[in-house]
Every structure is written in C-alpha cells, then in structure tokens.
Amino acid sequence: MRLLNPQKLNELQRNPNRVRNICILAHVDHGKTTLADSLVATNGIISPKMAGKLRYMDSRKDEQERGITMKSSSIALLHNKGGEEYLVNLIDSPGHVDFASEVSTAVRLCDGAVVVVDVVEGVCPQTQAALKQAWLENIRPVLVLNKMDRLILEMKLSPLDAYVHLTQILEQVNAVMGELFTSEVLGRTVPEKSQSQIDPDKASSLLYDWSAGLEDADDSHLYFSPDQGNVIFASAVDGWGFGIEHFAKLYADKLGVNEKVLQKTLWGDFYLHGKTKRVMKGAQEKAKKPLFVQFALENLWAVYDTVVIRKEKDKLQKIADSLNIKLTVRDMRHTDGKVQLQALCGQWLPLAKTLLDMVCTKLPAPCEITEEKAEKLMCSATERFDSLPSDTQKLKSVFMACSSDEDAPVIVFISKMFPMERRCLPQYRSHPLTAAEIAERREKTRLQHAQRLAQSETPFSVEGTHLLSSGDQMKIEEQKEQEQNDADAFIAFARVFSGTIKKGQELYVLGPKHEPQSALEKLESGEVINPDLTLKDLKSGQHITRVKIDQLYLLMGRELETLDSVPAGNVFGIGGLEEHVLKSATLSSTVACPAFTELAQVVVPIVRVAVEPTHAQDMAALVRGLRLLNQADACVQVIVQETGEHVLVTAGEVHLQRCLDDLRERYAKVAINASEPIVPFRETVVVPPTVDMVNEAIQDQNTASKDGDKENAGEVITLSTSNKHSTIKIRAAPLPTEVTSLLEVHADLLKAVDKHIHSEAGQQNSEMFEDSLSESQMVLTERTLKAIETLKEKLKDAFSSAGDEWKCAESQIWSVGPRRCGPNILLNRIPAYDHPSVWQRLRGSDRRLEYDSSFVNGFQLATLAGPLCEEPMMGVCFIVEDWTLAEETQLDHPSSRSPGSEHNDPSAAAKPGSIPGNLSLSACQAPSAILPESLLSQPYGPFSGQIMSAVKEGCRKAFQARPQRLMAAMYSCNIQVNAEALGKMYAVLGRRHGRVLHGDMQEGSSTFTVTAVLPVVESFEFAPEIRKQTSGLASPQLVFSHWEVIDIDPFWTPHTEEEYLHYGEKADSGNRARRYMDAVRRRKGLAVQEKLVEFAEKQRTLSKNK
Ligand SMILES: Nc1nc2c(ncn2[C@@H]2O[C@H](COP(=O)(O)OP(=O)(O)OP(=O)(O)O)[C@@H](O)[C@H]2O)c(=O)[nH]1
Ligand SMILES: [Mg+2]
C-alpha cells in the first residue's frame, strides 16, 4: 500500500525542516536506478521482491531495453526516521556522458546528492564530473560504495583485501573532493565577499579552515569517511547496505565498549586486543585484523559463503535465528541462493532505511540554503552581486528564509520541460463517474440517437455536403480529442524557493535572459505586461510573459498526482506552460527576481545531423516535432541553416539515437531521413614542415625560399578595396599553441570583455566611453577583472616564450575571432595606427578608427569560414602590416574613381558570391554620420563594406599562402577492458586513428583502465564495434576533449621518388585530410577537385580485349 496520502503530504510539504531534495549521481552503470528501486519499494510503490530488477525510474522503453537511464526523474517518498516523518524528493539521474545536461537540471533543484561508486570500477570520469557538479552547485554529497557483492563473488577477495581495496576507493573519491576544494580556495585569492559582506577576520578564517586540513571538525562536510556517518557500503542489487554505526551499535553491547568509541574506531587502523578486550591502534603494523574486517566484512563474507556459494540451507536457518530474522517458508525453500540472500540481508541490513536515515541526518533541508548558494543562484559568477538592483538584492534574504507565508514573494525555478503522455495525466485518468456525469452522458447519447433517427428519415440530399450531421461532427470532435490525448503534454520540472505557488495564481515567467534592472525600469515607466503574450510573441529584448498557473503536480516517477498548492522548498511539476517556457525559466510574483544563473553545461554538443522528412508533405510535422524536441531536451540544439536544412546538434551517438527515435515516434510521428553525422573541423596554418611524407628531410627550393623570407613568415598579401581608396597588407602565421589554448579556455572571459568593454553603445558614441568603462567595472566582479589581468599576464608569458617574433604581441591584439571570442587573433602591426588593444576602448582621432569595426568584421567573417572547407579557423594569427586610407575617402566625389576599375580589381572579382552578403551586413553597421548619402549609391557600395570584404579576402589569401591543415575534434575515451581483450581493443583504436595515452592495471583485478584519444569523425559505431570485438568486455565512454591538427597537407601530392614509391602516382590512399576535406566540401556543395573518370581509353581497350 502506498504510504503517501495527500493529507500527510500536505502536512510534510509545509514543514521545510522535514523535506529533503536529493539526487543520485554516479558514473554510468554504477547502480543508481537499482538503488532508487530499493528506496521506492519502501513506499509500497513497487514490490520489494522486484526492487533492483524493475528499474522503476527508467520509464522509457529504450531505457529499459538498453539498460541505461536517459533522463532525470523525480519521485516523492515518505520516510520515517525514529518516529519523525520526512518527505524525500528523490531524483534519479543518468550517468552516461551524453546525458550530462540532465544531471545539471537535477542538481540545480537539490540540496544534497547521493554519490554512488561501483567498488570494482572505482572513480570513473563521470564520478568526477558528478562530484564537480555537486560542488559547483554547493550541494552536499554522501557516498554509497555499491556493488560490494562483486568483491565477494566476482573478484573473490578476502575480507582483509577487500578492506584495503575499499580504503583505496575512498581515497580516490576524497582526492577528487580535495582537488575541488583546493582549486576553489586558490581561485579565491581575493575572497570576493571580503569587500562587501565579510570582514577580513572571517575571510582569513575561511582559509584557516583549509590549512587546518583533515583533522579539523569543520571539514566533515568535505571528505567522506565512514566514521563521520556519510558513507554506506551496499549492494543495491541484493538490497542491503550498512554504515558503520550499525555494527558499532551491535558490538558496543557485546564487547562492552562504548558505542562512541566504536563509531570512531570501527573504520581505520584499529584492532581489538584479544585478552584485554580493548581497542588498540596500529592493526597494520602488528598484522592484526582491523575492526571493520573482523566485525563487518567477515560476517558478510560468511553469509555469502554459506548462502550463495555453498548453499547450506540448514545453516541459513541458524544464521537467521542468530540475527533474529524470520524468513518465510517460501524463501527457505527457494532453490536460488540469491533470493535467500536477499531475503536475509534485506532484513538484516536494510539498504533503504540506512540510506534514507543518512539522507535525513546528513543532508541539509531546503531552509538551510547558504548565503553563498543563494548568491550563486541569483548572479552569474562574472558579475558582482551588489551590481544587481537593490530590490533584487533584498530577495537574497527571501531565498534564505524559504518561507511559504502568504506574503512571501513566490520564486520558482524551472530547470527543464519534460514530456508526458497526456492520457497519463491525472486529470485524464479514468475515475469513478459521479451521478451528475452519468446523467450528462445519458443525455448526450439520447440526443445522438434521436439525431441519427431523424437523419435516416430525411430524404437523400443532392448537395450531400450539409448532411455532415452533428453525429459525424461529434465523431470528428472525438477524434480530435483522441489526437489531443495522444499528444504529449509538457510538464515543468521545478522547485519553489520561496512563497507558495497555488492553482489560479498569476505569475511572471522570466526567461533566461531576463534582467531585473531593465524590467523594473520598464515597469516604472508604466509599461504593462500583456497577459495574452506567449513566448512566440516576444520581440527581441522582451523576456517576460504572464501566466495563470493551471496545473500543479506531485512527481511520482512514472506518474503524477494533482496538487492545489506547493509551499517553499519542494520539487514539483507544473502543467500548461508549453507556450511560456522553452527549456528553463524562473516564475515569480515580482520582476525584481533575477533569472537564475545558467545551468553548468558540461558536455559540448558536437555531433550534428541534418534531418528531413521522408515524404516532403510531412515537413510541417517535422518542424513541429523539432520544436517539441528542442523544448524537451536541455542539451539538444536545433538549427535551421541558411540553406533551409534542419540540423540537430547532439552530445554524442547515444544521445543522437535517442533524439531521432523521439522525433520519429513521439514528436513528429513521421518517417525521417537523417544524414550521416556531421562532424565539425577547424582550419589552421602551420610552420612549413621540415620532413616530407616519408620522413625525408625537405631540402631544395623550399629551404631556399625560407632563407629568402627572413622570418619564415608567410607571404604578405596586399589588397585594395574596390574603389582603391584603401590598401591593406596582411599575412598569416600560426599562433603559439599555448596562446590558442589560452584563448580557447577563456572564451567566456573574452565574451564578457567584449560585452562590457566593446558594447555597442560604446562603439557608437566615443564620448560615452569613459563613463561606461567605469560602469563596466562596477558590473564585473573583482574576480573577473582580476581574471582578465591574469589572462593578459599569461598571454604575455606565452608570447614572450614563443620567440622574438611575438614580442609585445599581447598589447597589439586588435581583435579575437570568430564571434569576438574565438581562438584566432588579429594583430595590429600598422605603423602609426594607434589603436588600443582588445582590452581597452576605442579612443583617438585617427580617421581609420571610423572604419575600425568594418576591418574587425572582415576578420571575424574570415575566421568564421576558412578557405579549405568553410569551417572556422583556429590558432591563426593575422598580422596587419599596413593599412592606408586615401585622402579623398571622406569626399563625396564619385568622379574621382576611374569608371572601369571594377574589372581589374582583384578583390571584387575574387569572391563574387560573398560580397552582397557583406554589403547588407555593413550597411546597417556603417557609421552613417561619416558616410555621405551618395556614397551608398556608388558602384562598389558603402566604403565600410568594401573594407570588410577586402579584409576578409586578404585574410583568406594570407591563410592560403601558408601550409594549411585541418584540425579534427578529438574524443577522450576511457575504456575499462579485461586483459584478454586488450589486444583487440588496440586494433580497433588503431584502425580508427586513435592513440592510447596511458593504460593502468587496476589493483586486485585483471582489468585495465585505458585512456585514449580518438577523432570524433572516426568514432561512429565505435562503442558497438569495440563491444563486439572484445565480446562485451570493454565499454568506452567518449567525451569531447580537444582539437588536434591532422598533420597531413590536404593538397599534398607526391614529389620525391620515395613518395611516389610509397604512395603511388595518385596518392589517393594516404591522404586522410583530403578525404575529410572533400567530404565536407561535397556536403556543403562546394567545388571538389576530383577526376571521376581517369584513363578512359584504357577502359575501352580493356573491354575490347575481352
Ligand atoms: N553485482 C551487482 N550489480 C549491480 C548492483 N547494483 C546494480 N547492479 C547492476 O548494474 C547494472 C546497472 O545498474 P543501473 O541501476 O541501471 O545503473 P545506473 O547507474 O542507473 O546506470 P545509468 O542510469 O545508465 O547511468 C544493472 O545490470 C544492475 O543489475 C550491485 O550492487 N551489485
Ligand atoms: Mg540509471
């Protein structure tokens, strides 16, 4: 029977001290869902016998089939801890890296996390990621060391070896926690709050905590240790689990030792002195059994040995009696030892009770939200909390109060929208009809019947059409209703942080980009938010709609229950927000409430496919389906390209498969063709290689030209604008790798710099610069400003260590691109052009400054699509050697141009396709104050546009003048593989151009953990192939890691004799880079140099000879 009834629920929800919002986090397959089963079984939702087999939280069909969780879902559970009742909102999350964004959505709504670690596999990449996410969101974790049974049955360790193994695993987990803590402490060299809230004494005590280290009592929340009561040893599949307090309690009486002493010594290097019966230190040194081995593990091993391995039934009864456990006759008779074991251990060491007790004591209640967390939720890390409007700052206390009073402002965060079949919603579920409903139905049927009769009497009408009787109409209506019931409803996955949300209440829906400052100003100026507006009516700059709350739900795993109101501190669902929320949003009764900070995105969506309906008439359904999919999945991106192609961007292969299945079966319900996965590349230039493809040193003409070109700097390209008024000299060079990676890592910072320093307002009006600079310093946190300084320092170091050529380069950075935050640099080496670097604002009276933004835009366009295959550039530096403007530029003098010049102008002819686009772009950006009207009507278009296309063309040519290379996205891949399968795994990796970085043997087992890198483009079907090759012994996890240069010239043809010998005349076998490049070009409809028919005569001769 279900324990949770509406009345009790209501009572518990109102008392935030008795609520716990927790999620289960772990690496894939470490047993989260199995563990959740045990907890769900305690509430009578599933039978305890089925716990661990059912995987109740995996409600999707494909989740059950593939055995992995793909979404996070919540269930409300009741727990009675020593007479006190608690409401536990438990969220099960996926462990597969492709669904990492689902973990972010879960973690945001929780106060605590249960981190599960498989004791055989140990800490895996996703365990680290989970711990990091918990850390970043300031939620407290507890640890479950799961799959203990594998130590006994699979690895066949002795209790002592198992103990040593467990200590190592625990050390691994604590090492991750320590690392997180250190990086945080180091990152906080200037404690942010020290200026505003915390006095210096307190700040130093923060650091003191750290130096105090492990022994300090305050660190208890940081490290996991069984004696602190935050670690449980468990086997989720067998349904048992214990913390050391269980055995401490048990043996305190038996041994006559104080329970508290036992609690402290049961884990660690302590043993029991045989004669004195006293607990002593130094078990290892004296070769004694640690207490944990003697009292906990040996007992457990004995039970497994008797029940599962030797199957001694008579002894089973004895054990049960000694433990005071009653086994049913059915269990006793069962032939499967595992069933008996589960029955026995389930009562002896009940997993769910132990875990929920720990959750209720060790994890914080919603009302214990810390000041730090509240600030983090309200304000992004790069901005200062005190830069928020004062009304908004006041809300911090509201967060911390977690009050559900009538007058408390309502603040609700929606972390995702998830689909639910409409007919599964409680309001559509069948329920016993009331008398009134029965009467109504009877009346309806009677009417229908009467109409049908009347119809059959009317003579046949020629028109026929108006004969569509009301009976038919009813049928149509019914059909419509049916269709609607089949369609999915979207439920918002939400948590109330303050106030009480009620049915019928009107609230503001604040989009993720909402800013309280501007919204408050708008409201003050008398603007009202039209309650009829929905998401699609919003114009740019508008982020607020209003909604009347219609449906509130209690989330119960696969089911929902309706609620009338939800008080602060609870996780719940909201229906009917499809039109108002895309993926996440904040609901509030006041617009002063800021949009919650963005969820941390841990995976980079990298795999894209183009989709189209199999039958063209289904296009509308596909578009609708894509919209729904986009709403339902936090990680997926749907892009409509200029070509009209619909592109899906997903995190990985498994995620892609799920998205396509969903689209076909759920959202679009039409047949779809998906293209081959599209993998992005980057384009770059390199220093001229010194060896050729067969590793012979390159001599002759190359080296000669290198000597001539003294800096080895690539050709300087000189280009003029179409009207010859401006000339640009530019060359390309590969950036030092360190600089590229600095730019890549700090993309967010560069974006912030761009946003606040080069804001559009600033560019339009040079007088405003000074003011807004100080303003931006107000907005950016100390920490961000400091980070900018550090980045500058680091860039300086990186440049200076890269050689004389890069001297002072950091102060010459004109712009970074593409999108003003990318890994390419535009360097200003123009003599006497005093342009401040990217870190400062434009200032000065140089005429060229007026066209500065066009110049930069040209560079942005060039870096966005390189000449190899129109993919973005990476690690390229464009050095502008000179830029001149002719005097007459400002004169409105069309006659000063020679009429025929367009024909012999190289830049106008070079890329005709791209110019119109540029012009339209520049037309809106051109500083119209400087450009006389008539210039716009000149044959070459606005001057700023000409500069832009000249720069773009110049960059492309300079790029082409260097040795060009493609860069491939690389996955880092972590494979756990058995020793026997190691060779086969290497073969698979080798075939796919992967590289093994290192392989470690796991202690005490024959499993290797191999870390390798693998090009994303070669990764498709990798997981299934490796599983097949190694008979399922290896299971890889692929995560995007970095970009790597493919060291083959895509345009390479054999030159030397050795090369001919090695690669043949055509050399079409070896050139991987060319293959990739041509594939991309073909996909994009660009020209591909390829001969389809070679030696046609020969073919003819062949056939003649036959
Ligand atoms: N031997 C053993 N197997 C277990 C235990 N717990 C779970 N398993 C098995 O491990 C496999 C994965 O379990 P799940 O609960 O689906 O793992 P999960 O962590 O939810 O996986 P994802 O949700 O896909 O990340 C299943 O086959 C379980 O039967 C355990 O304590 N002992
Ligand atoms: Mg799972």
Side-chain angles (χ1 to χ4, degrees):
M1 201 202 75
R2 295 199 174 191
L3 292 180
L4 211 55
N5 61 36
Q7 196 190 351
K8 191 170 277 171
L9 178 80
N10 204 321
E11 199 179 296
L12 285 171
Q13 280 191 333
R14 289 203 174 276
N15 182 359
N17 280 315
R18 293 288 177 82
V19 176
R20 296 289 181 274
N21 298 315
I22 59 159
C23 53
I24 312 186
L25 306 176
H27 189 74
V28 64
D29 263 1
H30 281 199
K32 296 174 289 295
T33 313
T34 314
L35 186 69
D37 260 8
S38 297
L39 307 187
V40 173
T42 57
N43 271 235
I45 296 165
I46 60 173
S47 135
K49 293 246 179 274
M50 293 307 288
K53 301 183 186 76
L54 205 59
R55 291 192 290 117
Y56 179 77
M57 301 300 276
D58 285 351
S59 51
R60 294 170 55 103
K61 195 165 134 248
D62 47 359
E63 285 180 324
Q64 286 288 344
E65 281 168 4
R66 296 183 79 136
I68 59 171
T69 309
M70 299 190 179
K71 47 135 193 34
S72 44
S73 48
S74 174
I75 189 161
L77 301 173
L78 179 74
H79 177 59
N80 191 325
K81 178 179 166 284
E84 290 178 346
E85 286 188 320
Y86 287 85
L87 174 70
V88 179
N89 291 311
L90 174 81
I91 305 179
D92 180 31
S93 71
H96 194 287
V97 55
D98 279 14
F99 305 108
S101 63
E102 285 284 317
V103 180
S104 319
T105 58
V107 168
R108 173 53 66 84
L109 303 186
C110 294
D111 304 299
V114 176
V115 177
V116 182
V117 175
D118 178 338
V119 285
V120 175
E121 294 194 354
V123 171
C124 292
Q126 284 315 105
T127 320
Q128 292 184 3
L131 286 169
K132 184 163 181 194
Q133 280 205 328
W135 180 266
L136 288 180
E137 289 277 348
N138 290 49
I139 71 173
R140 200 178 294 172
V142 289
L143 184 67
V144 173
L145 294 174
N146 191 28
K147 305 204 184 179
M148 289 280 289
D149 58 311
R150 289 181 70 187
L151 297 182
I152 310 174
L153 300 175
E154 224 172 90
M155 291 174 72
K156 303 203 166 39
L157 296 184
S158 71
L160 187 61
D161 289 344
Y163 167 74
V164 175
H165 182 81
L166 288 172
T167 50
Q168 283 165 352
I169 301 273
L170 203 60
E171 261 167 35
Q172 286 176 13
V173 182
N174 280 333
V176 179
M177 295 305 288
E179 217 171 277
L180 291 170
F181 188 57
T182 350
S183 58
E184 163 109 1
V185 171
L186 293 182
R188 211 194 288 158
T189 38
V190 187
E192 231 170 79
K193 290 179 210 150
S194 59
Q195 293 107 11
S196 49
Q197 287 104 359
I198 300 183
D199 54 302
D201 293 349
K202 247 187 175 172
S204 64
S205 78
L206 257 176
L207 292 177
Y208 169 71
D209 264 1
W210 165 233
S211 56
L214 255 173
E215 300 93 51
D216 198 276
D218 276 345
D219 272 9
S220 59
H221 67 279
L222 182 62
Y223 294 107
F224 298 107
S225 171
D227 56 342
Q228 301 281 357
N230 57 7
V231 178
I232 281 183
F233 304 89
S235 166
V237 91
D238 290 340
W240 59 260
F242 65 90
I244 57 169
E245 46 291 334
H246 175 90
F247 287 97
K249 214 175 276 164
L250 193 72
Y251 283 97
D253 295 342
K254 279 198 185 166
L255 301 173
V257 183
N258 188 336
E259 190 184 325
K260 281 205 180 110
V261 174
L262 263 189
Q263 172 76 22
K264 285 266 167 258
T265 54
L266 204 62
W267 177 261
D269 195 27
F270 298 96
Y271 70 99
L272 190 73
H273 195 276
K275 285 189 190 135
T276 56
K277 293 278 174 218
R278 288 186 56 185
V279 176
M280 314 282 277
K281 206 171 165 43
Q284 198 183 5
E285 208 176 283
K286 295 184 189 134
K288 301 275 187 195
K289 271 185 219 158
L291 290 181
F292 188 70
V293 175
Q294 190 179 359
F295 295 134
L297 296 188
E298 282 191 346
N299 284 331
L300 207 58
W301 258 243
V303 170
Y304 266 83
D305 194 42
T306 320
V307 184
V308 184
I309 300 173
R310 283 200 253 130
K311 304 200 168 144
E312 294 170 324
K313 278 200 183 160
D314 43 341
K315 283 203 182 155
L316 172 67
Q317 189 60 53
K318 238 187 241 166
I319 295 176
D321 290 344
S322 69
L323 292 171
N324 242 344
I325 289 170
K326 286 204 174 57
L327 292 176
T328 58
V329 183
R330 193 158 156 244
D331 284 336
M332 286 301 291
R333 281 211 203 115
H334 213 289
T335 46
D336 187 356
K338 271 267 181 177
V339 174
Q340 288 164 348
L341 180 98
Q342 282 158 14
L344 182 77
C345 290
Q347 291 183 54
W348 176 34
L349 305 166
L351 171 60
K353 184 181 173 309
T354 319
L355 181 58
L356 288 173
D357 277 356
M358 175 164 80
V359 163
C360 295
T361 38
K362 290 288 164 189
L363 295 181
C367 47
E368 291 168 39
I369 184 167
T370 60
E371 198 173 333
E372 198 184 348
K373 178 164 178 179
E375 277 186 21
K376 248 191 198 171
L377 289 175
M378 295 170 73
C379 171
S380 85
T382 55
E383 290 179 2
R384 281 171 63 162
F385 184 74
D386 51 16
S387 72
L388 295 174
S390 60
D391 281 355
T392 308
Q393 289 186 40
K394 278 184 208 145
L395 290 178
K396 186 166 89 178
S397 54
V398 170
F399 266 94
M400 295 176 62
C402 191
S403 152
S404 46
D405 291 348
E406 283 296 314
D407 51 351
V410 179
I411 301 176
V412 174
F413 181 67
I414 297 173
S415 74
K416 69 165 182 175
M417 301 288 283
F418 65 93
M420 188 97 191
E421 281 177 58
R422 210 171 277 270
R423 62 189 143 89
C424 296
L425 295 183
Q427 63 264 42
Y428 295 105
R429 229 181 277 150
S430 54
H431 56 96
L433 296 178
T434 59
E437 279 170 333
I438 294 174
E440 194 186 330
R441 284 198 173 192
R442 194 183 298 138
E443 184 62 16
K444 214 169 160 186
T445 330
R446 203 181 55 74
L447 259 176
Q448 264 177 11
H449 185 67
Q451 270 165 357
R452 226 173 285 140
L453 277 182
Q455 247 171 53
S456 57
E457 280 160 20
T458 22
F460 183 71
S461 149
V462 191
E463 292 100 307
T465 41
H466 78 253
L467 268 185
L468 193 67
S469 66
S470 51
D472 288 341
Q473 255 168 9
M474 264 181 199
K475 249 186 223 157
I476 292 173
E477 265 167 32
E478 265 170 31
Q479 217 171 13
K480 263 192 196 157
E481 208 169 281
Q482 180 66 30
E483 263 172 29
Q484 241 183 13
N485 282 355
D486 282 348
D488 284 315
F490 276 89
I491 310 292
F493 195 46
R495 165 167 171 182
V496 198
F497 282 86
S498 162
T500 302
I501 184 169
K502 295 191 192 96
K503 258 191 195 175
Q505 195 172 30
E506 271 215 8
L507 290 175
Y508 293 110
V509 184
L510 312 170
K513 292 204 180 123
H514 157 76
E515 278 179 9
Q517 179 78 50
S518 57
L520 283 170
E521 277 166 16
K522 273 186 199 164
L523 276 196
E524 249 166 50
S525 67
E527 198 179 304
V528 277
I529 289 153
N530 183 349
D532 299 331
L533 280 188
T534 58
L535 207 53
K536 60 177 186 296
D537 307 322
L538 290 184
K539 302 193 182 68
S540 88
Q542 290 184 321
H543 306 290
I544 309 179
T545 58
R546 282 173 66 167
V547 71
K548 193 165 167 196
I549 300 301
D550 191 22
Q551 296 294 338
L552 296 175
Y553 300 108
L554 177 70
L555 304 172
M556 289 300 290
R558 299 181 181 191
E559 290 167 18
L560 301 175
E561 307 281 347
T562 37
L563 292 174
D564 290 328
S565 69
V566 184
N570 287 285
V571 173
F572 69 110
I574 316 173
L577 290 183
E578 288 97 334
E579 303 293 325
H580 291 272
V581 180
L582 182 63
K583 293 189 185 201
S584 71
T586 311
L587 296 188
S588 179
S589 53
T590 153
V591 294
C593 176
F596 277 49
T597 44
E598 273 179 52
L599 295 171
Q601 277 295 1
V602 266
V603 281
V604 187
I606 199 139
V607 179
R608 32 174 81 205
V609 289
V611 286
E612 58 176 20
T614 312
H615 308 291
Q617 75 265 26
D618 293 336
M619 196 63 196
L622 175 69
V623 172
R624 197 181 55 237
L626 283 171
R627 208 190 62 233
L628 294 177
L629 177 70
N630 187 32
Q631 190 166 31
D633 192 316
C635 191
V636 83
Q637 290 173 14
V638 177
I639 305 171
V640 184
Q641 287 187 327
E642 302 102 73
T643 50
E645 239 179 352
H646 292 268
V647 174
L648 266 188
V649 192
T650 58
E653 221 182 341
V654 185
H655 185 213
L656 171 67
Q657 202 52 49
R658 204 217 61 198
C659 286
L660 290 177
D661 287 349
D662 270 359
L663 209 52
R664 286 194 184 108
E665 286 156 24
R666 194 155 194 180
Y667 301 127
K669 296 197 174 123
V670 292
I672 301 170
N673 295 340
S675 70
E676 286 288 301
I678 305 167
V679 178
F681 285 93
R682 294 283 182 267
E683 301 182 12
T684 192
V685 291
V686 292
V687 285
T690 51
V691 288
D692 64 11
M693 289 290 283
V694 279
N695 269 343
E696 299 268 329
I698 300 178
Q699 308 137 355
D700 56 298
Q701 80 284 26
N702 255 354
T703 16
S705 73
K706 213 161 92 181
D707 291 340
D709 195 353
K710 69 176 190 318
E711 303 160 87
N712 167 30
E715 200 184 325
V716 177
I717 303 289
T718 311
L719 262 187
S720 300
T721 50
S722 314
N723 61 9
K724 302 281 186 231
H725 285 197
S726 177
T727 307
I728 297 152
K729 284 187 183 162
I730 204 165
R731 67 186 169 87
L735 273 178
T737 18
E738 215 176 311
V739 176
T740 314
S741 55
L742 274 175
L743 292 178
E744 204 186 353
V745 173
H746 293 96
D748 282 346
L749 199 60
L750 292 170
K751 220 182 262 175
V753 171
D754 185 62
K755 189 174 161 207
H756 292 290
I757 301 189
H758 303 267
S759 56
E760 269 175 59
Q763 286 191 2
Q764 278 160 14
N765 185 348
S766 51
E767 269 85 73
M768 275 172 53
F769 291 168
E770 295 297 330
D771 302 347
S772 40
L773 181 70
S774 49
E775 199 176 282
S776 81
Q777 273 169 353
M778 288 284 293
V779 174
L780 294 177
T781 53
E782 278 298 311
R783 199 165 168 171
T784 317
L785 292 173
K786 203 166 162 38
I788 295 176
E789 283 304 314
T790 330
L791 174 62
K792 271 203 249 179
E793 284 297 312
K794 280 189 191 158
L795 279 175
K796 191 173 174 185
D797 290 348
F799 275 127
S800 60
S801 60
D804 281 349
E805 195 192 339
W806 297 105
K807 224 166 101 186
C808 296
E810 77 284 347
S811 59
Q812 296 168 337
I813 300 176
W814 191 345
S815 178
V816 290
R819 303 202 173 87
R820 295 178 180 272
C821 59
N824 304 286
I825 286 183
L826 183 67
L827 212 61
N828 169 18
R829 290 246 169 105
I830 306 169
Y833 177 48
D834 191 18
H835 175 283
S837 72
V838 72
W839 315 110
Q840 296 148 357
R841 283 160 189 282
L842 289 177
R843 214 174 303 135
S845 56
D846 196 310
R847 274 179 49 231
R848 286 173 288 195
L849 281 177
E850 286 152 14
Y851 295 100
D852 192 280
S853 68
S854 314
F855 201 105
V856 170
N857 281 339
F859 158 76
Q860 301 291 345
L861 287 174
T863 46
L864 191 63
L868 285 180
C869 49
E870 304 285 320
E871 291 286 286
M873 293 184 190
M874 180 167 188
V876 188
C877 181
F878 290 104
I879 303 162
V880 188
E881 303 278 3
D882 203 1
W883 178 26
T884 55
L885 277 189
E887 276 308 312
E888 68 260 46
T889 316
Q890 289 196 13
L891 299 176
D892 177 14
H893 233 297
S895 60
S896 68
R897 249 147 263 122
S898 64
S901 66
E902 68 202 277
H903 298 297
N904 46 28
D905 188 295
S907 71
K911 201 162 188 320
S914 67
I915 288 175
N918 294 351
L919 289 186
S920 62
L921 184 63
S922 63
C924 55
Q925 290 180 349
S928 52
I930 323 148
L931 269 180
E933 278 300 311
S934 57
L935 262 183
L936 292 168
S937 56
Q938 282 165 19
Y940 313 110
F943 187 53
S944 55
Q946 293 177 37
I947 290 189
M948 203 187 316
S949 44
V951 173
K952 182 182 167 198
E953 227 20 69
C955 287
R956 284 174 79 102
K957 290 212 163 127
F959 184 93
Q960 282 169 322
R962 304 280 315 199
Q964 310 163 62
R965 293 288 183 273
L966 272 186
M967 290 179 92
M970 302 296 277
Y971 273 138
S972 109
C973 127
N974 222 287
I975 313 172
Q976 298 235 342
V977 57
N978 212 300
E980 300 124 49
L982 205 59
K984 287 201 172 132
M985 187 212 68
Y986 274 98
V988 177
L989 266 178
R991 208 170 325 126
R992 290 167 177 266
H993 307 282
R995 241 176 327 119
V996 172
L997 297 183
H998 53 84
D1000 284 331
M1001 185 141 180
Q1002 261 180 21
E1003 211 138 320
S1005 71
S1006 58
T1007 321
F1008 280 84
T1009 310
V1010 176
T1011 315
V1013 288
L1014 176 78
V1016 177
V1017 63
E1018 301 283 352
S1019 71
F1020 298 101
E1021 299 282 306
F1022 175 66
E1025 179 179 350
I1026 212 158
R1027 231 174 278 137
K1028 219 181 291 163
Q1029 289 287 336
T1030 60
S1031 335
L1033 293 177
S1035 51
Q1037 282 278 299
L1038 302 172
V1039 195
F1040 172 73
S1041 119
H1042 65 282
W1043 295 92
E1044 203 168 285
V1045 177
I1046 304 174
D1047 206 11
I1048 307 172
D1049 183 356
F1051 300 111
W1052 174 81
T1053 45
H1055 284 298
T1056 62
E1057 216 164 282
E1058 284 87 356
E1059 283 179 341
Y1060 274 118
L1061 213 63
H1062 207 273
Y1063 292 98
E1065 201 174 327
K1066 271 168 66 189
D1068 48 4
S1069 59
N1071 202 336
R1072 192 153 68 89
R1074 167 133 212 165
R1075 205 175 67 229
Y1076 297 152
M1077 181 181 82
D1078 283 350
V1080 176
R1081 291 190 72 95
R1082 219 169 280 133
R1083 194 187 76 226
K1084 293 187 174 173
L1086 301 168
V1088 178
Q1089 282 189 353
E1090 202 176 39
K1091 277 188 198 162
L1092 289 180
V1093 180
E1094 283 188 50
F1095 312 122
E1097 307 83 349
K1098 259 192 189 165
Q1099 287 171 10
R1100 205 170 51 217
T1101 340
L1102 264 180
S1103 59
K1104 260 188 191 167
N1105 283 351
K1106 245 192 227 170

